[in-house]
Amino acid sequence: MAVGAARSGEGFTSERAARVVSAACWAAGLDGGGAELIRLGENALFRLASAPVVVRVARGEEWLPKARIEVAVSRWLAGESFPAARILDDLEQPLLVDGHPVTFWHLIREGDRKATYGELGGILRDLHSMTLPAGVEFPAFDPFGKQELRIERAPIPEDDRVFLRKRWRELRDQFEELSFETPKGPVHGDAHVQNLMVDDQGQVILIDFEAFCFDHPEWDLMVTATEHHSLGWQTDEQYADFVRAYGRDLYDWPGYDTLRRLQEFGMTTWLMQNVREDERTAAEYRRRISALRNDDAPRDWRPW
């Protein structure tokens, strides 16, 4: 279902996303007044004031297939009673509003603690052990598709753009040489601990399905492995809990370094989309792009 027409000449900002939410809510028969921005990242997430609903706005029409995957994943996991975010079932989704895919989700009422790395390892172990039923298909993991759009559209210096295009080509060559020994299965595609929530009943819930795919489990393990071994974002004890719960440390795999480079590249291009939001974001982007230019430099990156 499409609503409105795309406007040109304006980047994806929190202000633009708020206008999309207003139009999407009107089309869906919901009250969008007073919607509150929760987060601006790959998508913009808003919490409605009128109902326990979260509205997710994607950056452009190119993300429509991914929005459709999110809806399909949510419905599949709901049918399997897997602890995951739930789509609103009584609405036609996704909507396309002013060129932006929009989806509506049940609000998860957060408890008083955050998910642990051990819980992340456990939920990934459970996810990877699942079998897709007949008729359910998801794409392969694509570490490059979104990168081209990000590099093309992000408001960054041109010399950064030239460097990122060159690095993109190098990473593609390294990717072609990877050899996986594990069987393919359901993969979250962006499996960091912030994509787990603990609700007010203490249940750990998996969220954010736009990168969901059918591929090798290493794509999920690379996130936490990179955050620990390269960025130092977890203590040794936290990472040991993750490895113990899942049953594997990706650092021991010969392809780890290639996946680390891919992960760091994606983390940088993800952030650079929002450098116009505030100086804090712009400063962190400058820190990350500087490190990418020197592979031996320490990664004193900030969690985002």
Side-chain angles (χ1 to χ4, degrees):
M1 178 179 178
V3 178
R7 304 177 188 180
S8 60
E10 180 185 11
F12 186 71
T13 63
S14 53
E15 290 80 6
R16 176 172 174 82
R19 294 196 297 271
V20 171
V21 167
S22 180
C25 287
W26 179 86
L30 296 170
D31 180 3
E36 175 189 0
L37 179 68
I38 300 173
R39 180 173 175 81
L40 179 67
E42 190 70 63
N43 305 270
L45 276 69
F46 289 80
R47 175 177 177 170
L48 297 189
S50 59
V53 172
V54 170
V55 185
R56 187 177 176 93
V57 182
R59 288 181 171 266
E61 192 165 351
E62 298 89 345
W63 278 264
L64 184 58
K66 292 186 177 297
R68 289 174 175 149
I69 288 172
E70 290 180 280
V71 172
V73 170
S74 176
R75 289 174 175 159
W76 170 56
L77 293 179
E80 297 290 331
S81 298
F82 192 90
R86 301 289 187 246
I87 202 84
L88 263 64
D89 280 327
D90 55 349
L91 292 177
E92 179 187 349
Q93 299 198 55
L95 302 183
L96 186 62
V97 180
D98 281 351
H100 296 276
V102 180
T103 49
F104 298 85
W105 301 79
H106 289 284
L107 174 70
I108 299 169
R109 299 191 184 278
E110 293 187 78
D112 56 4
R113 72 173 182 87
K114 300 296 184 182
T116 68
Y117 286 94
E119 288 168 332
L120 176 62
I123 208 164
L124 289 179
R125 179 199 61 220
D126 293 344
L127 177 68
H128 294 165
S129 69
M130 296 176 70
T131 301
L132 294 182
V136 175
E137 296 183 2
F138 296 113
F141 186 79
D142 181 6
F144 299 102
K146 290 187 294 187
Q147 310 296 358
E148 289 183 282
L149 286 172
R150 291 172 177 176
I151 295 169
E152 176 69 23
R153 296 180 179 180
I156 57 174
E158 191 58 31
D159 63 327
D160 284 358
R161 206 181 313 277
V162 171
F163 164 76
L164 289 169
R165 286 171 178 154
K166 180 175 182 291
R167 176 58 61 89
W168 184 89
R169 292 191 294 270
E170 293 171 351
L171 288 172
R172 285 204 69 97
D173 291 342
Q174 294 173 20
F175 169 73
E176 294 297 329
E177 297 177 359
L178 281 175
S179 177
F180 296 90
E181 298 176 354
T182 53
K184 292 184 177 182
V187 167
H188 181 272
D190 191 20
H192 53 78
V193 76
Q194 288 79 18
N195 276 335
L196 288 183
M197 296 178 66
V198 182
D199 69 14
D200 55 5
Q201 302 301 308
Q203 184 178 41
V204 180
I205 299 173
L206 186 65
I207 66 172
D208 190 1
F209 309 132
E210 73 170 27
F212 205 93
C213 58
F214 185 80
D215 216 304
H216 299 283
E218 284 86 353
W219 294 116
D220 276 346
L221 301 182
M222 75 171 179
V223 180
T224 303
T226 298
E227 289 180 353
H228 177 70
H229 294 295
S230 181
L231 306 178
W233 286 0
Q234 300 99 32
T235 66
D236 290 344
E237 182 180 1
Q238 287 173 319
Y239 188 67
D241 287 344
F242 173 82
V243 170
R244 185 163 45 249
Y246 187 84
R248 182 185 179 192
D249 183 354
L250 191 67
Y251 192 67
D252 299 329
W253 181 55
Y256 164 75
D257 196 56
T258 295
L259 265 60
R260 173 192 64 83
R261 291 167 182 259
L262 284 165
Q263 179 67 15
E264 291 180 355
F265 186 81
M267 293 171 71
T268 302
T269 62
W270 169 80
L271 185 71
M272 74 186 186
Q273 301 172 105
N274 298 327
V275 293
R276 288 180 175 169
E277 281 293 307
D278 52 57
E279 175 53 30
R280 178 172 168 266
T281 304
E284 179 63 21
Y285 164 68
R286 291 193 295 269
R287 182 179 293 111
R288 294 185 183 188
I289 192 70
S290 176
L292 287 192
R293 291 177 181 274
N294 180 2
D295 203 47
D296 295 326
R299 267 47 174 166
D300 57 342
W301 298 5
R302 310 292 192 266
W304 215 256

